[in-house]
Amino acid sequence: MDDLLSEFLTETNENIGIVDASIVVLEQDPSDESQIDNIFRLVHTIKGTCGFLGLPRLEAVAHAGENVLGKIRDKELTVTADVVTLILEAMDAIKDILATIEETEEEPAGNDADLIARLNDVAFGEAPKEAAPEPEQEELPAGKVSEAELEAAFQAAEGPDEDLAEEELRPGEVSEAELEAAFQAAEGPDEIVESLELQQEEAPLEEKKPAAEKTTKESNIANQSIRVNVQMLENLMTMVSELVLTRNQLLQMVRGMDDNEFTVPLQRLSHVTTELQEGLMKTRMQPIGNAWSKLPRIVRDLSHELGKKIDLVMHGAETELDRQVLELIKDPLTHMVRNSADHGLEVPEDRKAAGKQQTGKIVLEAFHEGGHIIIKITDDGRGLNSEKIKQKVIENGLASEAELEGMSKQQIQNFIMRAGFSTAEKVTNVSGRGVGMDVVRSNIEKIGGTIALTSEEGKGSTFTIKIPLTLAIVSALIVECCGERFAVPQTSVVELVRASTNNTSDHTIEMINGSPVLRLRDHLLPLVHLNEIMRLETAADEVADKSEVKGSEEFIIVIQVASYVFGIVVDRVFDTEEIVVKPIAPILKNLSIFSGNTILGDGSVIMILDPNGIAAMSGDAVVNTDGASKEETKQAQVQDEKIALLVFRAGGKDPKAVPLSLVARLEEIDVGTIEEANGRKVVQYRGQLMPLTTIEDNIEIREEGRQPVLVFSDQDRTMGLLVEEIVDIVEDHLDVEMLSERDGYVGSAVIREKATDIIDVGYCLSKCFGSWFGDTETRPFGHNGEKQKVLLVDDSPFFRNMLVPLLKTAGYDVSTAENGAEALKKRDIGETFDIIVSDIEMPEMDGFTFAEEIKGDDRWNETPIVALSSHTTPGDFDRGRAVGFSDYIAKFDRDSLMSALSQTLKESGSAK
Amino acid sequence: MTETNMHDYVTVFISDQLFGIPVLEVHDVLRGLNLTKIPLAPPEVAGALNLRGRIVTAIDVRKRLGLPEREEDENSMSIVVEHQGEPYSLLIDSVGEVLSLDLNELQPTPVTLNSCWKEISGGVYRLENKLLVLMQIEQLLNFADSSTIAA
């Protein structure tokens, strides 16, 4: 039998059992909402699956049953004994059909028009019984033919049941009258059924008879596989672990002795134990591909049914998941793929109109990340429509309009995962009865996972499911800190670095205001000491002890959580070991730094560190995945934006300053090495000639000794700015209060309560290189030397002043705007630009909204936008990309800005 | 006196105080533990240990009861109980015997006891030469609230 079918049978039989039981409970307590929700979902699942498997008859019954249940759920129908009886009758009908399917692999012929009609009567409140069959006949073509004929045909014991084997028919023939009586007696008085309908009932009854006989036979499917309680496997697992430990002890004992009689049997025992352990592990672990295996077919059927072209791509099918987890996510996954196909993807015509390929794409991905299993479902369909969601939210009373006003797009989109929500305007066969995303979410949260969604209207949606590795088997690195051992999931470990605090090895831990950092190649790696996080070695004498020992050598585990990389300092690193993750005791559940614990080969218990938890504890907002709170912190940062400034003196007593990020290096050069070339001061620096310049002419250059120089670098050119004295590096708010008229200065600001001139690095660069700029690769990509027009949107006058000369020198035609709203005004008056460079954090209209505005209007939607931000977090980056930014650059990274500009222009130019 | 009122208790000593734990709740009595510390855990949690392949959370009953810490060299023992399907090992000083006591003779907990003792005590038996405090495992393990108040 078809795998799909047999699985369906097992599953549906189970589900119907649950429905049977639940509905009886519901009858006793009709106010129990969770009960009706549960029943409704199960029936919905049955209906849905029937549709894919091509079981129209089953589907019709389930659909009608679902209608009734839906009404009950929406409180339009009260639960009465009659309704319950009717639903149970529908369940029985389903059961009978299932039994036949199990035997013949085909749906029995015939129809359930009567049952369905009665179900629909209840559902749609069509009280007059005479009227009811009329619309019914149109809905169900089979009913039209059979209703009258059936009755006649039935008397002759022939008709629609011809497909069934003759001998199966015979008992029905004989017992017709008795059966009817028996049926009525058994089912109790069918008050809903009028005498007119009683006659119709003979048809389903007839079918029921042979089917009922079959159910008495042993269910074949049940014999093919055994469902074992996971607890039993767990117990077995425990026992095997115990066996392994005992074996290890034995091996330890025998190792000391020479050849003896135990050696051989022990070896054998060892082998068997290992195999047993592996076998057991295997029973629990399954590649996620198993849960995906039926998706291609479902998608194929769907694409036929919906008239859409769908391409299903699956990556990472081999990712192993614990069986229990797999079972739990199987249904949600199917739901989501179904949703993507039904709601997400457009019909080919719409896709074509939107300029997309006709074939829609659904991408399924699974991988391990930071000790979690991530499953992503991406479609390139129409995305989520925030406005529609809002409407629906208000309609369904999930939130008020005022509440919605204050919500971010993300929050609004998340409404689709609330119970009783569905965006599809018409209820289709496939999905859209308000079950779906809420079921998905509750199922995933049940296993401690999370689900997140990002969606861009017109471009598609991505659902990211994150499941903790509880129950999964991982390879872990065993480390020691203060005499305690911990396991770190290998999946999040990037590398190991040995470092010292006293310059004895290549890597040295340095301190910035007490926070340890490490120079790792071209990055600065933030470090956390495990003992500090764990608050180990609290006793004072131990601290004293350690401080002497410490410093010689330390190990740094470089950890990556999402895109945040940091180092954990530990005392020792041992081996890696395959471990079975066990959940930690409930009373310790709130310790976010542990993802579980396990028993090592030597029998000791060890805690497993959760890199996510540690990252969160190390106080980095980067790992904050919650969109809402990130918004808030970002808001706070806007108001509190501090910039590191290098304060120096050059010409006169007044301090001057330059943003530290613009300075490549600080050097001190021997004045003796300053030479003259081409009428300019130059110095040989790193094998090249570096031109030197001064801000003012009156700067005093020492006769001898060393002179401090600020080195600015632009691509492969460097220049030095001779200064008199480097005073300090301060972090302060940079508020340019007076704009400068003089060349070489941006303006003046108050820094450390002193008026300070801010120098214009762009000016210095152009002073040194001037005409050179024309020839570099940063030259804007243009047509026949025509100047490319750049619109620079930034709220800070300082950056506008800083960047404008820079861009101008690089050959762009620059216009500026203070914020998004102002920039849009330029659009309204008909200005056009080749490229827009926009800040993200701005008052009135931020960069994201700005980009959305631009992309949502056809005047500027062709214009590429480059985002400029002083806070680049991966989340921002993704968001930026999603709203339509072509690139995302850190504010002070001029090199990247230049190359991004020319690169983006080049791309958009060639695209035209 | 009817048979049904007789209950069996395992007696344990903690800081010279005699406690009784219903014998049916006791799964194991262990000696010489190899504890793994759990940093950042509540102070009452002494660590975790491996009991035949199961990870058992060890509870320092002295800390729970606000008693002074034990001398290092004393031989540690523990009683394994189960609570909501999870095994816990209660660190105690020593295990006495199993007593069969009549529920009718159980005296209510004196109200003057300090609050955490009152919480865990299910009553007191007057034995011939000592008083036995009936230990309620559920209350003993329910320290999440009380510890936060203490902290």
Side-chain angles (χ1 to χ4, degrees):
Chain A
M1 191 183 282
D2 188 353
D3 273 358
L4 212 56
L5 194 62
S6 76
E7 207 161 311
F8 163 74
L9 288 173
T10 331
E11 196 181 285
T12 312
N13 272 322
E14 267 175 25
N15 284 348
I16 288 185
I18 302 172
V19 172
D20 272 356
S22 312
I23 212 141
V24 174
V25 177
L26 183 73
E27 189 178 10
Q28 282 154 1
D29 178 16
S31 58
D32 192 345
E33 280 181 32
S34 66
Q35 209 62 262
I36 179 70
D37 276 352
N38 193 23
I39 298 169
F40 183 69
R41 278 169 201 169
L42 289 169
V43 175
H44 180 78
T45 311
I46 296 171
K47 182 203 78 174
T49 334
C50 292
F52 305 124
L53 292 169
L55 303 169
R57 191 176 152 195
L58 211 47
E59 189 186 356
V61 177
H63 187 85
E66 194 192 347
N67 283 333
V68 176
L69 291 166
K71 292 282 175 187
I72 298 175
R73 190 179 72 153
D74 298 342
K75 302 204 179 67
E76 287 172 29
L77 204 66
T78 45
V79 184
T80 61
D82 297 343
V83 175
V84 169
T85 312
L86 196 58
I87 293 169
L88 286 176
E89 212 178 297
M91 290 304 124
D92 289 342
I94 293 174
K95 259 188 257 176
D96 292 344
I97 299 171
L98 284 176
T100 318
I101 295 173
E102 190 176 329
E103 197 133 301
T104 62
E105 296 190 31
E106 261 167 41
E107 231 178 4
N111 71 75
D112 312 277
D114 164 61
L115 180 63
I116 291 168
R118 282 187 291 135
L119 284 166
N120 283 343
D121 279 355
V122 173
F124 302 113
E126 309 263 291
K129 303 295 185 240
E130 290 82 7
E134 276 304 311
E136 226 18 75
Q137 286 183 355
E138 280 164 29
E139 233 172 84
L140 297 152
K144 202 192 261 176
V145 196
S146 56
E147 200 206 11
E149 273 171 79
L150 210 73
E151 220 175 309
F154 194 72
Q155 247 86 32
E158 269 172 5
D161 296 325
E162 256 167 356
D163 303 37
L164 292 173
E166 280 223 17
E167 67 266 30
E168 283 174 344
L169 243 171
R170 233 166 261 140
E173 197 177 17
V174 181
S175 60
E176 195 200 332
E178 285 164 287
L179 209 78
E180 200 178 316
F183 182 82
Q184 270 170 305
E187 296 284 325
D190 285 341
E191 283 114 319
I192 315 157
V193 188
E194 304 272 76
S195 61
L196 172 100
E197 285 177 5
L198 252 173
Q199 286 173 307
Q200 292 178 357
E201 205 175 340
E202 286 160 9
L205 237 168
E206 172 59 17
E207 287 152 20
K208 225 176 248 176
K209 174 64 189 165
E213 274 194 358
K214 280 173 211 160
T215 40
T216 58
K217 292 175 193 164
E218 276 286 334
S219 182
N220 290 330
I221 303 289
N223 290 340
Q224 286 174 6
S225 65
I226 307 171
R227 292 205 166 203
V228 182
N229 193 333
V230 177
Q231 190 56 47
M232 188 153 147
L233 283 179
E234 190 89 327
N235 291 345
L236 272 178
M237 191 77 199
T238 313
M239 254 135 67
V240 170
S241 314
E242 196 63 16
L243 184 63
V244 170
L245 292 182
T246 320
R247 181 215 39 201
N248 289 354
Q249 278 174 356
L250 276 175
L251 284 174
Q252 196 79 42
M253 284 156 69
V254 171
R255 202 167 290 152
M257 307 177 214
D258 285 337
D259 249 7
N260 65 23
E261 57 208 298
F262 298 122
T263 315
V264 176
L266 199 56
Q267 238 163 26
R268 177 127 186 79
L269 175 71
S270 176
H271 274 283
V272 174
T273 310
T274 312
E275 261 167 49
L276 192 59
Q277 189 187 13
E278 280 172 2
L280 246 172
M281 293 266 196
K282 265 188 213 144
T283 60
R284 295 191 52 108
M285 302 300 285
Q286 280 188 323
I288 195 165
N290 287 9
W292 291 355
S293 59
K294 54 179 176 176
L295 293 177
R297 170 146 176 208
I298 287 175
V299 167
R300 185 200 153 273
D301 290 353
L302 266 178
S303 69
H304 276 259
E305 201 168 315
L306 300 167
K308 294 175 182 178
K309 291 181 179 170
I310 305 170
D311 196 3
L312 181 71
V313 186
M314 301 191 280
H315 298 296
E318 70 288 345
T319 311
E320 289 224 312
L321 263 184
D322 189 276
R323 197 188 199 108
Q324 196 180 2
V325 178
L326 193 76
E327 282 288 318
L328 284 166
I329 60 153
K330 207 190 255 177
D331 285 345
L333 275 182
T334 315
H335 254 297
M336 289 172 79
V337 170
R338 219 180 276 168
N339 267 347
S340 291
D342 190 21
H343 301 308
L345 296 177
E346 312 93 325
V347 291
E349 299 83 66
D350 290 355
R351 292 186 64 87
K352 212 171 173 185
K356 298 183 192 175
Q357 287 196 331
Q358 287 199 17
T359 308
K361 209 176 193 182
I362 299 175
V363 184
L364 264 176
E365 270 177 284
F367 53 91
H368 282 106
E369 186 186 276
H372 285 82
I373 290 152
I374 312 270
I375 302 164
K376 275 189 179 178
I377 297 154
T378 312
D379 68 69
D380 64 347
R382 60 171 79 97
L384 291 172
N385 184 328
S386 301
E387 287 311 310
K388 263 194 202 165
I389 295 174
K390 273 190 202 169
Q391 263 179 27
K392 195 87 186 177
V393 166
I394 295 166
E395 267 173 41
N396 294 2
L398 295 173
S400 72
E401 205 157 342
E403 283 174 292
L404 285 176
E405 272 313 302
M407 287 187 191
S408 70
K409 199 172 140 199
Q410 187 70 45
Q411 282 170 305
I412 290 168
Q413 287 176 348
N414 281 339
F415 268 107
I416 68 158
M417 288 187 265
R418 293 270 284 264
F421 188 93
S422 177
T423 47
E425 270 155 20
K426 63 172 188 227
V427 171
T428 63
N429 208 8
V430 181
S431 53
R433 275 177 183 265
V435 276
M437 291 316 293
D438 61 320
V439 194
V440 168
R441 199 184 65 172
S442 68
N443 270 351
I444 287 167
E445 283 174 357
K446 223 182 277 167
I447 48 173
T450 57
I451 175 164
L453 90 106
T454 54
S455 178
E456 165 76 9
E457 199 173 344
K459 289 201 178 145
S461 318
T462 302
F463 291 89
T464 311
I465 303 174
K466 195 169 173 188
I467 304 166
L469 80 169
T470 323
L471 300 171
I473 291 175
V474 289
S475 161
L477 187 71
I478 312 297
V479 300
E480 189 187 76
C481 177
C482 305
E484 296 291 328
R485 287 188 296 172
F486 298 97
V488 185
Q490 190 90 42
T491 42
S492 46
V493 176
V494 183
E495 62 179 314
L496 295 174
V497 179
R498 198 159 75 171
S500 69
T501 40
N502 53 6
N503 292 324
T504 46
S505 85
D506 290 352
H507 297 280
T508 311
I509 297 176
E510 291 166 82
M511 303 295 262
I512 301 177
N513 188 28
S515 309
V517 292
L518 178 82
R519 288 184 215 206
L520 185 63
R521 291 182 287 277
D522 49 353
H523 287 289
L524 202 59
L525 192 72
L527 298 180
V528 289
H529 279 280
L530 193 58
N531 54 357
E532 281 166 21
I533 283 203
M534 299 285 174
R535 285 185 228 131
L536 284 169
E537 53 160 23
T538 36
D541 51 343
E542 248 180 67
V543 177
D545 245 24
K546 282 278 171 184
S547 59
E548 276 170 47
V549 185
K550 227 198 248 172
S552 52
E553 199 173 69
E554 281 180 297
F555 289 93
I556 296 161
I557 314 165
V558 183
I559 298 273
Q560 182 161 19
V561 176
S563 50
Y564 170 51
V565 182
F566 66 103
I568 300 178
V569 185
V570 298
D571 299 343
R572 274 178 81 186
V573 173
F574 297 98
D575 210 350
T576 58
E577 213 167 306
E578 293 273 308
I579 54 172
V580 184
V581 182
K582 302 192 177 198
I584 52 175
I587 49 170
L588 303 170
K589 274 277 149 63
N590 48 356
L591 293 183
S592 65
I593 49 165
F594 300 121
S595 59
N597 50 17
T598 193
I599 297 173
L600 288 183
D602 64 0
S604 56
V605 177
I606 185 168
M607 304 303 290
I608 303 165
L609 298 177
D610 181 357
N612 294 291
I614 294 178
M617 278 193 92
S618 69
D620 200 289
V622 174
V623 288
N624 192 345
T625 47
D626 188 336
S629 62
K630 194 148 99 192
E631 284 287 318
E632 281 165 28
T633 52
K634 204 185 282 165
Q635 286 297 327
Q637 280 166 349
V638 175
Q639 289 169 7
D640 193 21
E641 192 173 317
K642 284 190 173 185
I643 295 169
L645 295 160
L646 179 77
V647 181
F648 58 91
R649 281 194 312 106
K653 276 187 185 154
D654 305 327
K656 296 182 171 47
V658 64
L660 185 62
S661 44
L662 298 177
V663 181
R665 276 182 297 278
L666 299 178
E667 295 281 352
E668 275 197 336
I669 55 167
D670 193 335
V671 286
T673 60
I674 300 178
E675 296 166 76
E676 290 256 337
N678 198 12
R680 277 200 293 214
K681 289 196 175 65
V682 293
V683 67
Q684 289 180 26
Y685 182 71
R686 299 195 174 187
Q688 280 190 317
L689 278 186
M690 177 170 78
L692 293 174
T693 187
T694 55
I695 300 265
E696 311 250 336
D697 297 330
N698 65 354
I699 178 170
E700 97 188 36
I701 294 178
R702 287 170 207 175
E703 295 294 315
E704 57 183 28
R706 304 180 76 82
Q707 180 91 17
V709 172
L710 313 185
V711 179
F712 299 105
S713 175
D714 181 76
Q715 298 206 350
D716 51 347
R717 302 193 200 301
T718 48
M719 59 150 284
L721 181 71
L722 285 168
V723 298
E724 286 167 9
E725 187 193 357
I726 292 171
V727 181
D728 203 354
I729 292 171
V730 295
E731 262 203 21
D732 212 335
H733 301 275
L734 186 53
D735 234 340
V736 180
E737 291 176 12
M738 274 179 355
L739 292 188
S740 171
E741 301 290 306
R742 287 180 296 170
D743 281 346
Y745 293 95
V746 173
S748 308
V750 178
I751 292 168
R752 282 218 176 154
E753 292 158 10
K754 268 190 170 176
T756 309
D757 290 332
I758 312 292
I759 66 154
D760 180 356
V761 180
Y763 169 79
C764 299
L765 280 168
S766 60
K767 192 173 162 189
C768 271
F769 298 112
S771 58
W772 296 14
F773 262 110
D775 306 327
T776 61
E777 299 125 58
T778 50
R779 192 177 62 120
F781 178 84
H783 315 288
N784 319 320
E786 195 181 299
K787 274 195 173 177
Q788 299 277 313
K789 286 164 87 179
V790 178
L791 174 63
L792 175 68
V793 189
D794 198 314
D795 59 316
S796 142
F798 171 73
F799 280 107
R800 288 207 305 273
N801 290 323
M802 169 113 76
L803 287 172
V804 168
L806 213 76
L807 291 168
K808 278 190 173 153
T809 351
Y812 293 97
D813 186 358
V814 192
S815 303
T816 58
E818 250 180 58
N819 55 47
E822 205 179 281
L824 290 177
K825 276 185 206 149
K826 286 188 191 287
R827 179 180 72 179
D828 292 340
I829 59 168
E831 286 190 45
T832 56
F833 296 94
D834 295 301
I835 188 164
I836 299 166
V837 178
S838 172
D839 189 15
I840 297 300
E841 294 115 15
M842 291 182 290
E844 287 189 47
M845 181 186 281
D846 72 7
F848 293 122
T849 329
F850 175 54
E852 275 166 22
E853 282 286 330
I854 289 181
K855 293 296 169 193
D857 185 291
D858 53 3
R859 274 171 292 182
W860 278 7
N861 67 357
E862 298 273 309
T863 316
I865 319 172
V866 174
L868 201 60
S869 176
S870 35
H871 307 284
T872 32
T873 63
D876 287 352
F877 194 89
D878 286 347
R879 193 170 158 207
R881 286 271 153 133
V883 296
F885 284 115
S886 337
D887 215 331
Y888 205 106
I889 294 157
K891 220 163 195 175
F892 304 104
D893 195 348
R894 287 169 311 127
D895 290 352
S896 301
L897 175 63
M898 288 306 171
S899 59
L901 277 182
S902 65
Q903 191 61 35
T904 312
L905 282 169
K906 219 174 272 179
E907 275 166 19
S908 73
S910 55
K912 270 175 203 163
Chain B
M1 198 167 104
T2 50
E3 275 294 304
T4 47
N5 273 337
M6 296 308 285
H7 285 260
D8 290 343
Y9 299 98
V10 175
T11 60
V12 299
F13 282 95
I14 300 162
S15 181
D16 292 333
Q17 172 65 52
L18 192 63
F19 286 91
I21 300 172
V23 78
L24 293 177
E25 292 199 36
V26 176
H27 287 232
D28 255 301
V29 177
L30 304 174
R31 183 190 291 274
L33 300 172
N34 185 9
L35 278 186
T36 300
K37 280 186 206 155
I38 305 174
L40 302 182
E44 293 91 341
V45 175
L49 61 110
N50 169 13
L51 174 64
R52 294 188 292 275
R54 287 186 87 180
I55 295 174
V56 181
T57 312
I59 307 292
D60 190 334
V61 182
R62 277 176 172 255
K63 279 232 177 73
R64 177 71 180 93
L65 295 175
L67 293 171
E69 272 186 59
R70 234 147 37 91
E71 309 272 314
E72 284 290 320
D73 50 4
E74 278 180 73
N75 203 357
S76 122
M77 285 192 89
S78 81
I79 284 201
V80 178
V81 295
E82 210 157 286
H83 176 55
Q84 291 176 355
E86 281 290 318
Y88 293 92
S89 129
L90 310 175
L91 303 189
I92 47 153
D93 294 0
S94 62
V95 177
E97 55 199 325
V98 175
L99 292 179
S100 208
L101 297 168
D102 189 346
L103 256 192
N104 295 326
E105 284 174 20
L106 183 67
Q107 304 281 312
T109 311
V111 287
T112 47
L113 281 187
N114 110 12
S115 65
C116 67
W117 281 67
K118 249 191 299 189
E119 202 184 322
I120 66 129
S121 164
V124 178
Y125 279 110
R126 290 167 302 161
L127 303 186
E128 269 174 40
N129 43 8
K130 272 195 181 285
L131 291 172
L132 181 144
V133 177
L134 188 59
M135 198 184 267
Q136 300 190 82
I137 302 300
E138 194 159 323
Q139 270 71 20
L140 183 81
L141 294 173
N142 180 25
F143 53 79
D145 311 325
S146 52
S147 70
T148 46
I149 293 164

